Amino acid sequence: MIDLQFSTEVRAARDAGQPIVALESTIITHGMPHPQNVEVAAQVEQDIRDAGATPATIAVIEGRLHVGLEPEELAQLGQAHGVSKLSRADMAACLATGGTGATTVAATMIAARHAGIEVFATGGIGGVHQGAETSFDISADLHELAQTPVTVVAAGAKAILDLAKTLEVLETLGVPVIAHGQDAFPAFWSAQSPLKAPLRMDSAEDIARAHAMRRELGLPGGQLVANPIPEADQIPATELAPIIAEAQRDAATHCITGKAVTPYLLQRIFERTEGRSLTANIALVRNNARLAARIAQALCTRRGA
Ligand code: PSU
Ligand code: MN
């Protein structure tokens, strides 16, 4: 069994059997600029505490898998240069060679499972990129959802992706996609999209019950909870569409490929919206953290029952 490095508060929560919510670290190192990234990460952790659960931000630091970061570790990671972006493919290599890396949705799910954490909050999962029919760029996050039993709360998939194809792949892989409180699949910076989510649930208790039911059925894999950004914080999809298209053209011109694509697009959209994309991103992550805390609590209550 892998040697996990728990933070003080995560260790205490585990000992007491209290609800824990996992958080990823790629959003800190590759998804947001410094210093807002560290402020947001700390704020999201606090949102989880305020909602009655314990945050466990996950990262690999000098070859050790951390489940929960102390504040100074978080601050260091947020300003470090050359931190790797770790997914399923590169996590073991980073651990084996003593490296430092931030975990994507896929890698965070793997770590959460090892730590016995069943709920995880992020911004938006990776998915099928536009043009995937020629680039084959499909995030490992989708396959992870199909095999690792963690419920992931996200604001849908990032609107830089091909959302329709992303939903098709999730369906093929047998991943439940549950819109929270609405029928539409949310589009990250916008609450609505023209796509209907396959499932809808309006309460954290139902989502927790469905999570437990999958385990009882012996089904591998997790659930994607698509939680819409609060209306007041959203950017209309019509306003963002030309900016996203331009960012995608720039990425093609500069031959950006592989794991660099998503960070590049997010940075370009940040520049072209003069920071509004970041403000919306922060609001949606915080909103997801609060819902994840409620789901973790509901799972804990069920277990105690
Ligand atoms: N959510 C955000 N910002 C991010 C990400 C999620 O609000 O930067 C990260 C996650 O770590 C996700 C990754 O797993 O983007 C997807 O990367 P890719 O498309 O290369 O699989
Ligand atoms: Mn990719």
Side-chain angles (χ1 to χ4, degrees):
M1 201 60 182
I2 180 144
D3 181 25
L4 300 173
Q5 192 73 30
F6 294 108
S7 63
T8 316
E9 67 177 331
V10 169
R11 184 174 296 282
R14 282 168 60 87
D15 291 348
Q18 284 162 354
I20 302 175
V21 173
L23 294 167
E24 61 153 304
S25 44
T26 294
I27 187 169
I28 304 172
T29 55
H30 293 71
M32 293 187 185
H34 187 77
Q36 287 104 321
N37 61 347
V38 177
E39 288 159 23
V40 174
Q43 179 67 62
V44 170
E45 289 194 345
Q46 193 54 42
D47 289 329
I48 289 175
R49 291 184 199 104
D50 292 345
T54 297
T57 302
I58 291 179
V60 176
I61 301 176
E62 294 173 0
R64 302 202 69 182
L65 183 49
H66 286 248
V67 177
L69 297 181
E70 304 299 344
E72 54 286 0
E73 291 169 337
L74 187 64
Q76 258 169 34
L77 187 73
Q79 62 185 349
H81 293 283
V83 176
S84 317
K85 174 179 165 186
L86 304 177
S87 190
R88 164 168 279 260
D90 18 45
M91 192 179 191
C94 185
L95 286 163
T97 56
T100 293
T103 52
T104 58
V105 167
T108 305
M109 290 178 76
I110 294 169
R113 176 210 220 145
H114 278 289
I117 302 172
E118 293 173 288
V119 184
F120 160 28
T122 184
I125 61 158
V128 182
H129 279 266
Q130 289 182 28
E133 56 275 24
T134 51
S135 71
F136 278 56
D137 189 348
I138 302 177
S139 177
D141 292 351
L142 302 184
H143 292 271
E144 205 61 51
L145 278 161
Q147 56 186 312
T148 301
V150 175
T151 285
V152 179
V153 183
K158 285 185 272 290
I160 54 177
L161 301 165
D162 187 322
L163 295 185
K165 288 195 182 72
T166 300
L167 284 176
E168 289 293 348
V169 170
L170 287 166
E171 185 184 3
T172 303
L173 294 172
V175 176
V177 177
I178 306 163
H180 177 243
Q182 67 178 31
D183 294 327
F185 185 62
F188 199 66
W189 296 286
S190 322
Q192 300 291 327
S193 80
L195 300 164
K196 190 172 182 293
L199 298 163
R200 169 184 175 154
M201 288 185 188
D202 293 353
S203 78
E205 288 71 24
D206 282 351
I207 296 166
R209 212 172 295 131
H211 176 104
M213 188 56 72
R214 284 183 66 86
R215 191 177 35 215
E216 280 164 38
L217 285 169
L219 294 173
Q223 311 187 107
L224 174 61
V225 178
N227 189 31
I229 183 172
E231 300 258 329
D233 299 305
Q234 68 174 335
I235 307 178
T238 46
E239 196 182 316
L240 270 182
I243 294 175
I244 293 172
E246 186 191 307
Q248 268 150 350
R249 279 194 303 273
D250 291 349
T253 307
H254 292 97
C255 301
I256 310 289
T257 56
K259 58 169 75 178
V261 172
T262 296
Y264 179 87
L265 293 176
L266 291 178
Q267 175 61 27
R268 287 296 290 145
I269 294 164
F270 169 75
E271 289 161 8
R272 294 287 284 108
T273 59
E274 288 160 358
R276 281 174 64 217
S277 64
L278 178 61
T279 310
N281 199 343
I282 294 168
L284 66 86
V285 178
R286 297 185 62 185
N287 190 47
N288 295 341
R290 290 185 286 261
L291 176 58
R294 283 167 34 218
I295 298 167
Q297 273 175 325
L299 273 171
C300 235
T301 310
R302 284 184 58 80
R303 222 172 288 120

